[in-house]
Amino acid sequence: MDYARRIQQLPRYLFAELDAAKQQARQRGVDVIDLGVGDPDLPTPRHIVEALARGARDPSTHQYPSYEGDLEFREAVARMYRRVHGVRLDPHREVIALIGSKEGIAHAPLAFINPGERVLVPDPGYPVYRASTILAGGRPVEMPLREKNGFLPDLSKVRGGARLMFLNYPNNPTAAVAPRGFLREAVDFCRDRGVHLLHDFAYGEMGFDVRPPSVLSVPGARDAAVEFHSLSKTYCMTGWRLGFAVGNAELLAGLLKVKTNIDSGAFRAVQRAGIAALNGPRGPARKSLGVYRERRDLFVEGLRRLGLRFHPPRATFYVWVRVPRGSTSLGFSGRLLEGVGVVATPGVGFGRHGEGYVRFSLTKPRERIREALERMEDVLGAPKARQ
Ligand SMILES: *Cc1c(COP(=O)(O)O)cnc(C)c1O
């Protein structure tokens, strides 16, 4: 098939291959424990489901929604930002709705780069930054996230111009949280060089013992930055496809121009559910965060006993773990799957600087996580304490 060149230029999608390997293991009768995908196993809280049901029954939601999202939804976003992140937003100009944040991230380069222009992307990183740059004819330039720098890019090493910079904290896949000082440095860097800063804040409310800072809480950020955000992770709504972008009004207007020509907005009943999520009772989101914290504590203790190296995550539901000496990330994840039916995502799937790591996603119940740890002993040898 003669696909367009831009499709051929996309990097190979490792996760699709991983899915195939998982499938094969299941067909062989292996009881697979999938700690690979970052998709919450907990159901969407009830009050949100009820709001959708009510919205779906109201015929006024059945027609094309507005491109930018209902004002009530954008106001709910602004209220959440004020309450949680201490950031004031004008819901008319500084908030737009997205059909999931991936949609906005994927469309943004179309609004801001010309063919051949450079886009700074974190490596390892969420694969969409690189792919959307390529689809828009741009050139991804990787910013390595190194363990010795706390998985923050070293901006003093960035050479040459660029149109856009993607950042993502709390970070997928490393689970690193950026201190506000780093975000300030990034904003200054981008403002000085005329780079538009696109911050992916999908895990913004998923700090365990920290309040991860919004880039918009940094002075001057509004001149240069847009923040992408999502209902998916905080409220267990990955299937619902609802996100939003906030920040610089001109940048948002550019993105909206692209979107207006491609999609027709998020279903209004889903936006009403989003309002219930953002402004409704806090209990359910707090509870699911507590579940992830318990899983983290359990998993972290198990990894320690297994003698693996990692930094206990302070946010997100990921754990980024060094592979044992002498292994590659693909080799180690292959050994876990073929040997004991445990799925971890190989770090190279997130870029070449992810080599040497695997990512575990704690989106399975405690019993399954405990079982995965026990099985991993069979691959790694008995825990040190019992040798
Ligand atoms: C899950 C995730 C997203 C996408 O979220 P949606 O709103 O469901 O599209 C974006 N960025 C990162 C880093 C993610 O992990």
Side-chain angles (χ1 to χ4, degrees), residues 131-158:
S132 62
T133 298
I134 293 169
L135 290 174
R139 227 159 22 103
V141 175
E142 63 201 31
M143 298 186 291
L145 306 187
R146 299 185 204 280
E147 189 166 348
K148 65 172 181 337
N149 297 328
F151 299 110
L152 304 171
D154 182 350
L155 299 178
S156 73
K157 297 260 166 66
V158 174

PDB file of all heavy atoms in Angstrom, residues 131-158:
ATOM      1  N   ALA A 131       5.184  11.907  17.270  1.00  0.00           N
ATOM      2  CA  ALA A 131       4.367  11.513  16.121  1.00  0.00           C
ATOM      3  C   ALA A 131       3.623  12.719  15.543  1.00  0.00           C
ATOM      4  O   ALA A 131       3.572  12.905  14.323  1.00  0.00           O
ATOM      5  CB  ALA A 131       3.380  10.426  16.539  1.00  0.00           C
ATOM      6  N   SER A 132       3.058  13.567  16.416  1.00  0.00           N
ATOM      7  CA  SER A 132       2.283  14.697  15.911  1.00  0.00           C
ATOM      8  C   SER A 132       3.200  15.703  15.224  1.00  0.00           C
ATOM      9  O   SER A 132       2.800  16.363  14.261  1.00  0.00           O
ATOM     10  CB  SER A 132       1.494  15.357  17.045  1.00  0.00           C
ATOM     11  OG  SER A 132       2.347  15.874  18.024  1.00  0.00           O
ATOM     12  N   THR A 133       4.433  15.805  15.695  1.00  0.00           N
ATOM     13  CA  THR A 133       5.414  16.676  15.036  1.00  0.00           C
ATOM     14  C   THR A 133       5.691  16.180  13.626  1.00  0.00           C
ATOM     15  O   THR A 133       5.676  16.953  12.659  1.00  0.00           O
ATOM     16  CB  THR A 133       6.722  16.692  15.857  1.00  0.00           C
ATOM     17  OG1 THR A 133       6.447  17.234  17.150  1.00  0.00           O
ATOM     18  CG2 THR A 133       7.795  17.514  15.175  1.00  0.00           C
ATOM     19  N   ILE A 134       5.895  14.880  13.492  1.00  0.00           N
ATOM     20  CA  ILE A 134       6.183  14.292  12.180  1.00  0.00           C
ATOM     21  C   ILE A 134       4.984  14.447  11.247  1.00  0.00           C
ATOM     22  O   ILE A 134       5.122  14.820  10.086  1.00  0.00           O
ATOM     23  CB  ILE A 134       6.580  12.804  12.330  1.00  0.00           C
ATOM     24  CG1 ILE A 134       7.925  12.701  13.058  1.00  0.00           C
ATOM     25  CG2 ILE A 134       6.637  12.099  10.976  1.00  0.00           C
ATOM     26  CD1 ILE A 134       8.299  11.301  13.493  1.00  0.00           C
ATOM     27  N   LEU A 135       3.789  14.208  11.782  1.00  0.00           N
ATOM     28  CA  LEU A 135       2.583  14.319  10.946  1.00  0.00           C
ATOM     29  C   LEU A 135       2.379  15.750  10.438  1.00  0.00           C
ATOM     30  O   LEU A 135       1.778  15.971   9.398  1.00  0.00           O
ATOM     31  CB  LEU A 135       1.347  13.850  11.714  1.00  0.00           C
ATOM     32  CG  LEU A 135       1.285  12.336  11.985  1.00  0.00           C
ATOM     33  CD1 LEU A 135       0.093  11.996  12.872  1.00  0.00           C
ATOM     34  CD2 LEU A 135       1.235  11.533  10.696  1.00  0.00           C
ATOM     35  N   ALA A 136       2.894  16.723  11.187  1.00  0.00           N
ATOM     36  CA  ALA A 136       2.767  18.118  10.763  1.00  0.00           C
ATOM     37  C   ALA A 136       3.962  18.553   9.907  1.00  0.00           C
ATOM     38  O   ALA A 136       4.088  19.726   9.572  1.00  0.00           O
ATOM     39  CB  ALA A 136       2.637  19.026  11.987  1.00  0.00           C
ATOM     40  N   GLY A 137       4.841  17.614   9.583  1.00  0.00           N
ATOM     41  CA  GLY A 137       5.988  17.935   8.732  1.00  0.00           C
ATOM     42  C   GLY A 137       7.161  18.535   9.477  1.00  0.00           C
ATOM     43  O   GLY A 137       8.119  19.016   8.873  1.00  0.00           O
ATOM     44  N   GLY A 138       7.090  18.532  10.812  1.00  0.00           N
ATOM     45  CA  GLY A 138       8.162  19.106  11.613  1.00  0.00           C
ATOM     46  C   GLY A 138       9.249  18.098  11.933  1.00  0.00           C
ATOM     47  O   GLY A 138       9.161  16.927  11.564  1.00  0.00           O
ATOM     48  N   ARG A 139      10.273  18.604  12.618  1.00  0.00           N
ATOM     49  CA  ARG A 139      11.407  17.756  12.975  1.00  0.00           C
ATOM     50  C   ARG A 139      11.500  17.631  14.494  1.00  0.00           C
ATOM     51  O   ARG A 139      11.762  18.626  15.177  1.00  0.00           O
ATOM     52  CB  ARG A 139      12.696  18.389  12.449  1.00  0.00           C
ATOM     53  CG  ARG A 139      13.557  17.377  11.747  1.00  0.00           C
ATOM     54  CD  ARG A 139      14.586  17.905  10.779  1.00  0.00           C
ATOM     55  NE  ARG A 139      15.029  19.260  10.902  1.00  0.00           N
ATOM     56  CZ  ARG A 139      16.210  19.613  11.431  1.00  0.00           C
ATOM     57  NH1 ARG A 139      17.031  18.720  11.926  1.00  0.00           N
ATOM     58  NH2 ARG A 139      16.559  20.885  11.440  1.00  0.00           N
ATOM     59  N   PRO A 140      11.246  16.436  15.054  1.00  0.00           N
ATOM     60  CA  PRO A 140      11.393  16.288  16.497  1.00  0.00           C
ATOM     61  C   PRO A 140      12.868  16.315  16.897  1.00  0.00           C
ATOM     62  O   PRO A 140      13.695  15.675  16.242  1.00  0.00           O
ATOM     63  CB  PRO A 140      10.799  14.903  16.792  1.00  0.00           C
ATOM     64  CG  PRO A 140      10.465  14.280  15.482  1.00  0.00           C
ATOM     65  CD  PRO A 140      10.832  15.206  14.376  1.00  0.00           C
ATOM     66  N   VAL A 141      13.177  17.101  17.921  1.00  0.00           N
ATOM     67  CA  VAL A 141      14.543  17.168  18.454  1.00  0.00           C
ATOM     68  C   VAL A 141      14.452  16.722  19.901  1.00  0.00           C
ATOM     69  O   VAL A 141      13.734  17.336  20.696  1.00  0.00           O
ATOM     70  CB  VAL A 141      15.091  18.611  18.382  1.00  0.00           C
ATOM     71  CG1 VAL A 141      16.459  18.699  19.038  1.00  0.00           C
ATOM     72  CG2 VAL A 141      15.129  19.099  16.946  1.00  0.00           C
ATOM     73  N   GLU A 142      15.144  15.636  20.225  1.00  0.00           N
ATOM     74  CA  GLU A 142      14.927  15.066  21.556  1.00  0.00           C
ATOM     75  C   GLU A 142      15.682  15.820  22.646  1.00  0.00           C
ATOM     76  O   GLU A 142      16.790  16.311  22.440  1.00  0.00           O
ATOM     77  CB  GLU A 142      15.294  13.588  21.574  1.00  0.00           C
ATOM     78  CG  GLU A 142      16.746  13.327  21.295  1.00  0.00           C
ATOM     79  CD  GLU A 142      16.970  11.890  20.812  1.00  0.00           C
ATOM     80  OE1 GLU A 142      16.066  11.322  20.155  1.00  0.00           O
ATOM     81  OE2 GLU A 142      18.041  11.350  21.108  1.00  0.00           O
ATOM     82  N   MET A 143      15.032  15.944  23.784  1.00  0.00           N
ATOM     83  CA  MET A 143      15.672  16.450  24.999  1.00  0.00           C
ATOM     84  C   MET A 143      15.766  15.248  25.945  1.00  0.00           C
ATOM     85  O   MET A 143      14.734  14.790  26.457  1.00  0.00           O
ATOM     86  CB  MET A 143      14.819  17.533  25.660  1.00  0.00           C
ATOM     87  CG  MET A 143      14.586  18.765  24.816  1.00  0.00           C
ATOM     88  SD  MET A 143      13.705  20.034  25.779  1.00  0.00           S
ATOM     89  CE  MET A 143      12.098  19.292  25.949  1.00  0.00           C
ATOM     90  N   PRO A 144      16.977  14.731  26.172  1.00  0.00           N
ATOM     91  CA  PRO A 144      17.096  13.540  27.021  1.00  0.00           C
ATOM     92  C   PRO A 144      16.662  13.829  28.456  1.00  0.00           C
ATOM     93  O   PRO A 144      16.994  14.882  29.008  1.00  0.00           O
ATOM     94  CB  PRO A 144      18.599  13.218  26.994  1.00  0.00           C
ATOM     95  CG  PRO A 144      19.163  13.995  25.855  1.00  0.00           C
ATOM     96  CD  PRO A 144      18.265  15.166  25.625  1.00  0.00           C
ATOM     97  N   LEU A 145      15.893  12.931  29.030  1.00  0.00           N
ATOM     98  CA  LEU A 145      15.554  13.005  30.453  1.00  0.00           C
ATOM     99  C   LEU A 145      16.437  11.988  31.162  1.00  0.00           C
ATOM    100  O   LEU A 145      16.250  10.780  30.996  1.00  0.00           O
ATOM    101  CB  LEU A 145      14.078  12.656  30.694  1.00  0.00           C
ATOM    102  CG  LEU A 145      13.019  13.427  29.906  1.00  0.00           C
ATOM    103  CD1 LEU A 145      11.627  13.062  30.415  1.00  0.00           C
ATOM    104  CD2 LEU A 145      13.247  14.932  30.000  1.00  0.00           C
ATOM    105  N   ARG A 146      17.412  12.486  31.911  1.00  0.00           N
ATOM    106  CA  ARG A 146      18.374  11.583  32.551  1.00  0.00           C
ATOM    107  C   ARG A 146      18.112  11.492  34.040  1.00  0.00           C
ATOM    108  O   ARG A 146      17.764  12.473  34.688  1.00  0.00           O
ATOM    109  CB  ARG A 146      19.799  12.070  32.313  1.00  0.00           C
ATOM    110  CG  ARG A 146      20.189  12.115  30.846  1.00  0.00           C
ATOM    111  CD  ARG A 146      21.662  12.493  30.697  1.00  0.00           C
ATOM    112  NE  ARG A 146      21.933  13.071  29.395  1.00  0.00           N
ATOM    113  CZ  ARG A 146      22.100  12.363  28.278  1.00  0.00           C
ATOM    114  NH1 ARG A 146      22.031  11.053  28.320  1.00  0.00           N
ATOM    115  NH2 ARG A 146      22.339  12.968  27.138  1.00  0.00           N
ATOM    116  N   GLU A 147      18.358  10.289  34.532  1.00  0.00           N
ATOM    117  CA  GLU A 147      18.138  10.029  35.953  1.00  0.00           C
ATOM    118  C   GLU A 147      18.946  10.989  36.822  1.00  0.00           C
ATOM    119  O   GLU A 147      18.442  11.523  37.806  1.00  0.00           O
ATOM    120  CB  GLU A 147      18.521   8.568  36.248  1.00  0.00           C
ATOM    121  CG  GLU A 147      18.131   8.132  37.632  1.00  0.00           C
ATOM    122  CD  GLU A 147      18.181   6.620  37.813  1.00  0.00           C
ATOM    123  OE1 GLU A 147      18.308   5.879  36.814  1.00  0.00           O
ATOM    124  OE2 GLU A 147      18.101   6.197  38.972  1.00  0.00           O
ATOM    125  N   LYS A 148      20.188  11.254  36.438  1.00  0.00           N
ATOM    126  CA  LYS A 148      21.045  12.119  37.272  1.00  0.00           C
ATOM    127  C   LYS A 148      20.513  13.551  37.339  1.00  0.00           C
ATOM    128  O   LYS A 148      20.891  14.308  38.237  1.00  0.00           O
ATOM    129  CB  LYS A 148      22.501  12.080  36.792  1.00  0.00           C
ATOM    130  CG  LYS A 148      22.714  12.665  35.407  1.00  0.00           C
ATOM    131  CD  LYS A 148      24.216  12.751  35.124  1.00  0.00           C
ATOM    132  CE  LYS A 148      24.565  13.308  33.862  1.00  0.00           C
ATOM    133  NZ  LYS A 148      24.761  13.741  32.790  1.00  0.00           N
ATOM    134  N   ASN A 149      19.655  13.946  36.392  1.00  0.00           N
ATOM    135  CA  ASN A 149      19.023  15.269  36.443  1.00  0.00           C
ATOM    136  C   ASN A 149      17.596  15.210  36.951  1.00  0.00           C
ATOM    137  O   ASN A 149      16.792  16.117  36.675  1.00  0.00           O
ATOM    138  CB  ASN A 149      19.029  15.913  35.045  1.00  0.00           C
ATOM    139  CG  ASN A 149      20.436  16.155  34.520  1.00  0.00           C
ATOM    140  OD1 ASN A 149      21.348  16.408  35.299  1.00  0.00           O
ATOM    141  ND2 ASN A 149      20.620  16.041  33.219  1.00  0.00           N
ATOM    142  N   GLY A 150      17.257  14.144  37.633  1.00  0.00           N
ATOM    143  CA  GLY A 150      15.897  14.018  38.140  1.00  0.00           C
ATOM    144  C   GLY A 150      14.878  13.890  37.011  1.00  0.00           C
ATOM    145  O   GLY A 150      13.719  14.249  37.183  1.00  0.00           O
ATOM    146  N   PHE A 151      15.308  13.371  35.870  1.00  0.00           N
ATOM    147  CA  PHE A 151      14.454  13.211  34.687  1.00  0.00           C
ATOM    148  C   PHE A 151      13.875  14.544  34.208  1.00  0.00           C
ATOM    149  O   PHE A 151      12.763  14.605  33.690  1.00  0.00           O
ATOM    150  CB  PHE A 151      13.347  12.183  34.944  1.00  0.00           C
ATOM    151  CG  PHE A 151      13.874  10.811  35.254  1.00  0.00           C
ATOM    152  CD1 PHE A 151      13.760  10.272  36.531  1.00  0.00           C
ATOM    153  CD2 PHE A 151      14.507  10.061  34.263  1.00  0.00           C
ATOM    154  CE1 PHE A 151      14.266   9.006  36.817  1.00  0.00           C
ATOM    155  CE2 PHE A 151      15.011   8.792  34.543  1.00  0.00           C
ATOM    156  CZ  PHE A 151      14.886   8.259  35.825  1.00  0.00           C
ATOM    157  N   LEU A 152      14.659  15.618  34.409  1.00  0.00           N
ATOM    158  CA  LEU A 152      14.328  16.925  33.823  1.00  0.00           C
ATOM    159  C   LEU A 152      15.298  17.164  32.681  1.00  0.00           C
ATOM    160  O   LEU A 152      16.471  16.777  32.779  1.00  0.00           O
ATOM    161  CB  LEU A 152      14.502  18.045  34.863  1.00  0.00           C
ATOM    162  CG  LEU A 152      13.728  17.914  36.176  1.00  0.00           C
ATOM    163  CD1 LEU A 152      14.186  18.978  37.179  1.00  0.00           C
ATOM    164  CD2 LEU A 152      12.233  18.026  35.917  1.00  0.00           C
ATOM    165  N   PRO A 153      14.865  17.782  31.577  1.00  0.00           N
ATOM    166  CA  PRO A 153      15.829  18.065  30.503  1.00  0.00           C
ATOM    167  C   PRO A 153      16.809  19.147  30.945  1.00  0.00           C
ATOM    168  O   PRO A 153      16.454  20.028  31.721  1.00  0.00           O
ATOM    169  CB  PRO A 153      14.943  18.560  29.361  1.00  0.00           C
ATOM    170  CG  PRO A 153      13.683  19.018  29.993  1.00  0.00           C
ATOM    171  CD  PRO A 153      13.510  18.229  31.255  1.00  0.00           C
ATOM    172  N   ASP A 154      18.042  19.058  30.447  1.00  0.00           N
ATOM    173  CA  ASP A 154      19.055  20.070  30.725  1.00  0.00           C
ATOM    174  C   ASP A 154      18.946  21.138  29.639  1.00  0.00           C
ATOM    175  O   ASP A 154      19.448  20.970  28.530  1.00  0.00           O
ATOM    176  CB  ASP A 154      20.439  19.412  30.723  1.00  0.00           C
ATOM    177  CG  ASP A 154      21.537  20.409  31.056  1.00  0.00           C
ATOM    178  OD1 ASP A 154      21.251  21.641  31.093  1.00  0.00           O
ATOM    179  OD2 ASP A 154      22.674  19.970  31.275  1.00  0.00           O
ATOM    180  N   LEU A 155      18.259  22.233  29.966  1.00  0.00           N
ATOM    181  CA  LEU A 155      17.965  23.245  28.945  1.00  0.00           C
ATOM    182  C   LEU A 155      19.227  23.955  28.459  1.00  0.00           C
ATOM    183  O   LEU A 155      19.252  24.489  27.353  1.00  0.00           O
ATOM    184  CB  LEU A 155      16.944  24.259  29.479  1.00  0.00           C
ATOM    185  CG  LEU A 155      15.582  23.658  29.868  1.00  0.00           C
ATOM    186  CD1 LEU A 155      14.649  24.734  30.420  1.00  0.00           C
ATOM    187  CD2 LEU A 155      14.926  22.947  28.687  1.00  0.00           C
ATOM    188  N   SER A 156      20.280  23.929  29.278  1.00  0.00           N
ATOM    189  CA  SER A 156      21.525  24.580  28.845  1.00  0.00           C
ATOM    190  C   SER A 156      22.172  23.815  27.697  1.00  0.00           C
ATOM    191  O   SER A 156      23.059  24.324  27.024  1.00  0.00           O
ATOM    192  CB  SER A 156      22.495  24.700  30.023  1.00  0.00           C
ATOM    193  OG  SER A 156      23.025  23.431  30.343  1.00  0.00           O
ATOM    194  N   LYS A 157      21.733  22.589  27.475  1.00  0.00           N
ATOM    195  CA  LYS A 157      22.317  21.776  26.392  1.00  0.00           C
ATOM    196  C   LYS A 157      21.516  21.876  25.096  1.00  0.00           C
ATOM    197  O   LYS A 157      21.883  21.281  24.088  1.00  0.00           O
ATOM    198  CB  LYS A 157      22.353  20.291  26.819  1.00  0.00           C
ATOM    199  CG  LYS A 157      23.234  20.002  28.012  1.00  0.00           C
ATOM    200  CD  LYS A 157      24.576  19.434  27.557  1.00  0.00           C
ATOM    201  CE  LYS A 157      25.612  19.447  28.665  1.00  0.00           C
ATOM    202  NZ  LYS A 157      25.258  18.539  29.767  1.00  0.00           N
ATOM    203  N   VAL A 158      20.392  22.601  25.128  1.00  0.00           N
ATOM    204  CA  VAL A 158      19.553  22.681  23.932  1.00  0.00           C
ATOM    205  C   VAL A 158      20.191  23.664  22.948  1.00  0.00           C
ATOM    206  O   VAL A 158      20.448  24.809  23.286  1.00  0.00           O
ATOM    207  CB  VAL A 158      18.117  23.144  24.288  1.00  0.00           C
ATOM    208  CG1 VAL A 158      17.295  23.370  23.027  1.00  0.00           C
ATOM    209  CG2 VAL A 158      17.440  22.117  25.189  1.00  0.00           C
TER     210      VAL A 158
END
